[in-house]
Amino acid sequence: MSWEYSGVDPLYQNTSEKYSFFDFVQKPIEIYVFIDPLCPECWALEPFLKKLSTEYGRFFTIRPIISGHLITLNQDNFDRPRNIRDFWEKTAKRTGMCCDGDLWVENPVTSPWIASLAIKAAELQGKKAGKMFLRKIRESAFLYKQNISKEATLLACAEEAHLDVNEFASDLYSTSAKKAFQSDVKLTNEMEVDYIPTIVFFNQLTEEQGIKISGLYPYDIYVRVLREILKKQPIPSEKPMLEDFLSYHKTVSTKEIAVVYDWTSTKAERELKKLQLKQKVKRIPIKHGSFWVYQS
């Protein structure tokens, strides 16, 4: 973990308010999240980012940066499909986020860069559209073992993310998408990101250097960094009702719910099953745990 902080003592100011999914006020912090859509550790970061956004999202915006793909960054003998499968399986067991490594044996992703390009094409329809599409292609890969370098899979994800599918298809190999992806890769190199996931916190109201965290850490570390860069002690927002959370995010894992609400996995399952009985959510059993889809 790299700490590039001025050392100024935090000003312990209490600022709390109800959680809101929609906040149009300019936020002081921008968080760059350097990821690879096929990196299981980046996927395992999702519960922490959801919790951070739920509790402190009024202070920051998140900007995903697509940093090439796993084989070019976290090089660790990933030259064979079975090696990648084993890495995915170990990550799933360690983190609780499903990564079905059988993908790499049954339906391997042959051209990872196409998935990265597709994310930038989706972002041409807006930041929210880009984030929704990113989530959908990760679900396709990690949960459903889909080859996200195939155009048919990408178009299906675009439809699920409620994009303009024709516009997305037109943008997929466009100069604009390629330049946007090249810009992300250039930023990755300029900021000397050599491991993913990496998160960099910037205070847009000061000229101080950001704080960089490389790798996957416990949630408290991210809160500590946010507090230091804000120079105050923020109080977490009240969490939304579970159904409201599901209504907004649409598809979530038991692990994500457990982390966000500070519940055990058993309690998270119990609360989700209550909503299932009310036909508010549909359970999707997968290799490692369960995912839940909100029924609108």
Side-chain angles (χ1 to χ4, degrees), residues 10-296:
L11 303 175
Y12 290 96
Q13 302 173 1
N14 290 336
T15 55
S16 180
E17 59 187 54
K18 274 189 171 291
Y19 176 83
S20 174
F21 292 114
F22 305 102
D23 186 355
F24 299 102
V25 178
Q26 178 67 35
K27 301 176 183 180
I29 308 300
E30 186 167 24
I31 301 177
Y32 287 15
V33 184
F34 292 84
I35 61 168
D36 160 17
L38 285 166
C39 167
E41 288 198 342
C42 296
W43 179 234
L45 182 64
E46 281 293 284
F48 298 143
L49 291 179
K50 276 186 170 60
K51 184 173 184 179
L52 198 67
S53 296
T54 300
E55 295 189 332
Y56 303 103
R58 63 192 188 273
F59 295 111
F60 64 80
T61 56
I62 291 178
R63 178 182 170 187
I65 308 296
I66 309 304
S67 305
H69 60 89
L70 186 65
I71 297 173
T72 61
L73 280 182
N74 298 351
Q75 295 185 16
D76 189 18
N77 196 27
F78 290 140
D79 56 335
R80 296 180 182 177
R82 292 186 181 276
N83 291 341
I84 307 178
R85 181 193 65 180
D86 292 345
F87 178 63
W88 274 36
E89 294 292 328
K90 288 177 182 177
T91 303
K93 292 175 182 177
R94 176 169 54 86
T95 66
M97 281 293 279
C98 179
C99 315
D100 194 338
D102 290 339
L103 163 70
W104 295 98
V105 176
E106 298 174 9
N107 194 20
V109 180
T110 51
S111 304
W113 65 272
I114 294 179
S116 298
L117 195 63
I119 295 165
K120 307 317 291 185
E123 287 179 355
L124 295 176
Q125 296 187 35
K127 292 180 180 179
K128 183 178 179 180
K131 290 177 181 178
M132 182 70 75
F133 178 79
L134 172 60
R135 175 73 183 198
K136 290 304 177 183
I137 66 168
R138 291 165 111 179
E139 290 174 5
S140 293
F142 291 116
L143 308 184
Y144 306 120
K145 299 182 290 185
Q146 297 295 307
N147 182 348
I148 58 173
S149 64
K150 288 185 176 179
E151 190 168 321
T153 303
L154 295 172
L155 291 174
C157 289
E159 186 172 356
E160 289 180 16
H162 304 294
L163 302 185
D164 181 322
V165 178
N166 291 330
E167 183 179 340
F168 171 78
S170 177
D171 288 335
L172 183 54
Y173 299 104
S174 69
T175 301
S176 297
K178 291 176 182 177
K179 285 184 177 179
F181 179 40
Q182 290 167 357
S183 178
D184 277 14
V185 174
K186 180 180 179 182
L187 184 60
T188 300
N189 294 329
E190 289 176 347
M191 298 192 67
E192 299 179 352
V193 172
D194 55 9
Y195 190 89
I196 48 176
T198 286
I199 297 180
V200 184
F201 291 73
F202 290 103
N203 190 329
Q204 301 183 86
L205 304 181
T206 71
E207 295 183 357
E208 294 176 1
Q209 288 184 309
I211 300 178
K212 182 167 68 174
I213 307 176
S214 297
L216 193 61
Y217 285 83
Y219 178 70
D220 290 348
I221 295 296
Y222 304 112
V223 175
R224 177 183 171 187
V225 173
L226 182 64
R227 182 175 67 238
E228 292 198 14
I229 204 165
L230 278 170
K231 303 185 180 66
K232 63 183 176 185
Q233 180 75 43
I235 293 175
S237 298
E238 294 179 19
K239 293 182 176 69
M241 297 294 290
L242 179 58
E243 186 175 342
D244 291 336
F245 184 85
L246 288 160
S247 174
Y248 180 77
H249 289 289
K250 305 304 181 187
T251 304
V252 296
S253 67
T254 303
K255 172 69 174 183
E256 288 173 306
I257 294 299
V259 169
V260 170
Y261 286 89
D262 299 307
W263 293 339
T264 62
S265 294
T266 301
K267 179 175 174 57
E269 285 268 349
R270 185 166 61 246
E271 296 300 319
L272 287 160
K273 284 179 180 177
K274 289 178 184 178
L275 293 178
Q276 184 183 24
L277 289 173
K278 296 178 181 178
Q279 298 185 333
K280 297 290 186 179
V281 296
K282 177 182 178 182
R283 183 180 184 179
I284 302 176
I286 47 178
K287 188 173 184 179
H288 301 283
S290 298
F291 266 72
W292 307 79
V293 180
Y294 184 72
Q295 303 292 288
S296 55

